[in-house]
Amino acid sequence: MSTPVTEFRRNALAAMVDRAVNSTPVIDIHTHLYDPLLGGLLLWGIDELLVYHYLMAEVNRRQKLLPESFLTLRKSRQAEIIWNVLFIQHSPLSEACRGVLTTLHRLGLDVKRRDLPALRDWFAQWNAETYVTRCMELANVKSIYMTNSPFDDEERAAWQKGFLRDERFVAALRVDPLLVDWPRAARRLAEWGYEVGEGLSTHTLNEVRRFLADWTLRMEARYLMVSLPPEFSCDDDNECAQLMKAAVLPHCLEFGQPFALMMGVRRAVNPQLGLAGDGLGRSDLGTLAHLCAAYPENRFLVTVLSRENQHELCVLARKFSNLHPFGCWWFNNVPYLIDETLRLRLELLGTSFTAQHSDARVLDQIIYKWDHTRRSLSSALTDKYADLALTGWEPTAAEVERDVQGLLGGAFEQFCKM
Ligand code: RAT
Ligand code: ZN
């Protein structure tokens, strides 16, 4: 029998892990934040925090207004309703509500006063550029990957006009419309001067590659990404699979980009709710196994939305070194599932995965998303190192720092270079 780790040793271990987890700067590999100079698209501040679509979904369960009429209200009015319903009339226990409070608290604001006008006054003194630095410092985030879509009219125009890049913000090229709704995407590509027809002829596929190349270069996109419905399959040669195999994957190889697949989103389960109306379903990861095996030179960054897919994803990652699991995506980004997913991945993959991405849509959210994840990560790692200590193996501070650095972005960077 091994000797139990004494409480004293365990506390020292926990303190060492906490120090490493809190002091390691994060590379946030998937967000919906924008470079502050990219066409004014960056969202921040108390009203944006309150109208986050995760909270929209929650207020919809409580308030009497129909979603359509709620969505037509001014943003400040929506924010007031959400504040009253979710924070004043009920306790803000959900993860999305708690996130607002963690953010305000870490910014030094007094949440117990429950005073929305006072909070608004405090935010009014900031401008986007200085506030970016404040939030990144507080969250200890060193770089932020954006989600950049040429299919978004506002965003496309801002890229075409050009702007001075903030080097902390890194581009990732998002191509959902191209892969999930080809007929519509084909019309848009044609409008933009690419010679594409509805059928996927060789010429059309070459033009799709020209489109991907143009935008990769314009944005300096580090990886290409798509979110896919649970039904996605490569078996029947559907348009999505054909485009992926004949345009996207060869493009990624040519430009040295990993391809990020976010699997299992069921869009518009309740279309009335807009962004808040999406749901999830379990994906067939056989399709992913096929892609990893058939395209060994390509690299796949993968996250899954269904909890039921998490175990299979880890097992697949043990089989394929060109597969890198990342993050606890969206409905998985709650402490209960972060704890579970981190432990599962550590036990099956060691530290060869990326623990989390924030998916923040509002800048200030990086504060709470990373605060909450860091708590889960510290606790999971402390337990794991304590298990090792039972054998007499005690990690050094430098080893813990190395491991944490890998989990918070280092392993991702290595994977991108592989
Ligand atoms: O987490 C979210 O905010 C979702 O709405 C999605 O944006 C999702 O993360 C995605 O990238 O599709
Ligand atoms: Zn996202």
Side-chain angles (χ1 to χ4, degrees):
M1 264 296 272
S2 34
T3 3
V5 179
T6 63
E7 205 183 321
F8 177 78
R9 281 294 310 137
R10 197 186 153 86
N11 289 345
L13 187 59
M16 179 161 84
V17 172
D18 266 355
R19 244 189 329 273
V21 168
N22 291 323
S23 66
T24 301
V26 161
I27 302 171
D28 196 343
I29 75 166
H30 168 62
T31 75
H32 298 265
L33 302 176
Y34 296 95
D35 183 316
L37 295 182
L38 179 54
L41 292 170
L42 177 67
L43 304 177
W44 59 279
I46 183 65
D47 283 7
E48 296 293 354
L49 286 170
L50 289 170
V51 301
Y52 185 31
H53 72 86
Y54 293 21
L55 291 173
M56 289 273 195
E58 291 173 30
V59 80
N60 176 59
R61 301 186 48 69
R62 297 284 193 183
Q63 49 95 32
K64 301 265 177 343
L65 298 169
L66 284 172
E68 303 109 300
S69 53
F70 182 79
L71 290 172
T72 60
L73 296 174
R74 282 194 328 276
K75 195 175 279 180
S76 56
R77 187 64 202 127
Q78 291 177 359
E80 281 153 14
I81 293 173
I82 291 179
W83 175 256
N84 283 326
V85 174
L86 296 183
F87 292 78
I88 306 298
Q89 292 165 16
H90 303 91
S91 287
L93 292 171
S94 74
E95 174 64 5
C97 285
R98 173 185 168 224
V100 175
L101 299 182
T102 300
T103 302
L104 298 174
H105 176 67
R106 295 280 317 277
L107 284 164
L109 293 156
D110 182 2
V111 296
K112 69 178 175 305
R113 286 175 56 200
R114 294 163 166 73
D115 185 349
L116 181 57
L119 295 171
R120 283 176 165 160
D121 286 347
W122 184 86
F123 280 92
Q125 62 178 324
W126 290 94
N127 64 52
E129 275 163 66
T130 46
Y131 194 56
V132 166
T133 304
R134 180 73 188 126
C135 290
M136 290 182 76
E137 272 167 12
L138 268 182
N140 198 8
V141 166
K142 72 173 172 192
S143 61
I144 292 178
Y145 278 69
M146 304 178 276
T147 295
N148 301 108
S149 174
F151 292 92
D152 178 300
D153 292 335
E154 228 181 315
E155 188 177 350
R156 191 179 62 259
W159 283 106
Q160 281 167 333
K161 198 162 145 231
F163 61 98
L164 198 64
R165 296 281 295 262
D166 179 329
E167 60 189 19
R168 294 169 297 182
F169 287 77
V170 186
L173 175 55
R174 182 80 176 241
V175 293
D176 290 24
L178 181 75
L179 291 177
V180 300
D181 188 358
W182 168 247
R184 198 144 162 254
R187 287 196 292 280
R188 303 236 59 199
L189 262 66
E191 275 165 39
W192 301 330
Y194 297 93
E195 289 175 8
V196 294
E198 277 225 3
L200 294 174
S201 66
T202 308
H203 185 63
T204 291
L205 290 165
N206 284 338
E207 285 292 277
V208 171
R209 285 187 65 176
R210 186 163 72 84
F211 164 76
L212 295 173
D214 288 348
W215 280 96
T216 292
L217 295 172
R218 178 172 287 127
M219 294 171 167
E220 296 173 43
R222 297 281 171 82
Y223 64 80
L224 209 89
M225 83 186 309
V226 67
S227 69
L228 293 167
E231 297 72 31
F232 167 67
S233 146
C234 283
D235 295 347
D236 47 346
D237 244 358
N238 56 68
E239 279 164 344
C240 176
Q242 282 180 51
L243 280 157
M244 205 180 269
K245 292 173 182 175
V248 169
L249 293 176
H251 162 86
C252 287
L253 266 192
E254 184 184 341
F255 285 82
Q257 290 169 318
F259 183 37
L261 299 163
M262 306 181 82
M263 305 185 71
V265 58
R266 207 181 283 293
R267 298 284 177 197
V269 169
N270 181 353
Q272 280 189 323
L273 288 181
L275 267 187
D278 298 338
L280 65 78
R282 183 175 173 167
S283 298
D284 170 12
L285 295 195
T287 299
L288 179 61
H290 164 77
L291 288 172
C292 293
Y295 299 89
E297 303 297 324
N298 279 98
R299 283 158 297 152
F300 300 92
L301 288 163
V302 178
T303 198
V304 287
L305 201 46
S306 163
R307 178 189 187 186
E308 286 66 32
N309 278 139
Q310 297 290 3
H311 182 243
E312 200 180 347
L313 177 63
C314 288
V315 174
L316 267 187
R318 293 173 63 88
K319 313 297 143 196
F320 296 103
S321 62
N322 60 340
L323 169 57
H324 184 89
F326 75 94
C328 302
W329 180 25
W330 200 343
F331 310 113
N332 295 277
N333 196 347
V334 292
Y336 182 73
L337 293 181
I338 300 172
D339 288 344
E340 174 179 286
T341 309
L342 280 176
R343 286 162 196 268
L344 179 66
R345 289 180 181 168
L346 285 169
E347 289 174 15
L348 281 166
L349 301 171
T351 56
S352 64
F353 65 95
T354 297
Q356 186 62 300
H357 63 272
S358 76
D359 234 315
R361 282 180 178 263
V362 182
L363 170 67
D364 334 35
Q365 289 169 342
I366 58 174
I367 300 171
Y368 93 76
K369 302 242 189 194
W370 286 109
D371 183 296
H372 295 184
T373 286
R374 280 187 160 102
R375 284 168 204 264
S376 295
L377 185 57
S378 277
S379 139
L381 283 175
T382 301
D383 286 350
K384 292 290 112 197
Y385 292 126
D387 289 345
L388 299 185
L390 292 175
T391 71
W393 178 282
E394 304 216 3
T396 65
E399 285 168 345
V400 173
E401 280 158 23
R402 173 203 60 200
D403 294 350
V404 172
Q405 197 253 337
L407 290 165
L408 295 181
F412 162 81
E413 282 193 321
Q414 261 174 12
F415 183 74
C416 290
K417 284 192 214 123
M418 251 169 76

